[in-house]
Amino acid sequence: QVQLVESGGGLVQPGGSLRLSCAAPTSIFSKYTMGWYRQQAPGKQRELVATITTTGSTKYADSVKGRFRISRENANNTVILQMNNLKPEDTAVYYCNAALLFDRRWGQGTQVTVSS
């Protein structure tokens, strides 16, 4: 099973920043659109946060535009989500995703909590 390895979650105060990383095997990273999704509560639908294609085209959820930035570090097969000006409503489990046509891979998830 292909593994996506996430890191960087934690507890931060409102207005603070966090940086999430997701490392993927070369065979995946070089071909798949990479992205981040989040699930704000158990049973709630997982929602798209941001995606980036192999050519660098990005897409963001309206709720994070202007605050989050997704990027690819090709040298080490890593996708980065830089989250700034975090709000309590950003609290969620964040999942790394790799997608190619109907093939989707998921990381194990990392908790982000925004609270004072």
Side-chain angles (χ1 to χ4, degrees):
Q1 181 69 27
V2 173
Q3 287 192 322
L4 303 178
V5 181
E6 301 144 335
S7 60
L11 173 65
V12 65
Q13 292 186 345
S17 297
L18 279 176
R19 185 175 184 263
L20 303 184
S21 299
C22 173
T26 302
S27 60
I28 295 296
F29 189 83
S30 63
K31 298 176 185 177
Y32 284 55
T33 291
M34 302 297 296
W36 291 92
Y37 288 69
R38 67 187 182 188
Q39 186 174 16
Q40 293 174 310
K44 195 170 180 179
Q45 190 169 1
R46 200 173 290 188
E47 63 177 12
L48 180 145
V49 176
T51 60
I52 184 167
T53 68
T54 55
T55 57
S57 296
T58 58
K59 181 169 64 174
Y60 295 92
D62 287 343
S63 59
V64 307
K65 281 181 182 176
R67 300 188 297 122
F68 291 12
R69 181 175 181 271
I70 190 169
S71 60
R72 299 173 76 107
E73 293 184 349
N74 294 329
N76 51 16
N77 297 338
T78 299
V79 61
I80 302 296
L81 185 68
Q82 178 65 44
M83 306 186 292
N84 299 323
N85 190 22
L86 282 158
K87 303 176 180 180
E89 52 264 42
D90 294 317
T91 295
V93 178
Y94 284 70
Y95 295 90
C96 181
N97 171 263
L100 179 62
L101 299 178
F102 297 106
D103 186 10
R104 287 182 170 267
R105 316 291 177 99
W106 295 95
Q108 78 283 2
T110 185
Q111 178 71 45
V112 171
T113 302
V114 185
S115 176
S116 55

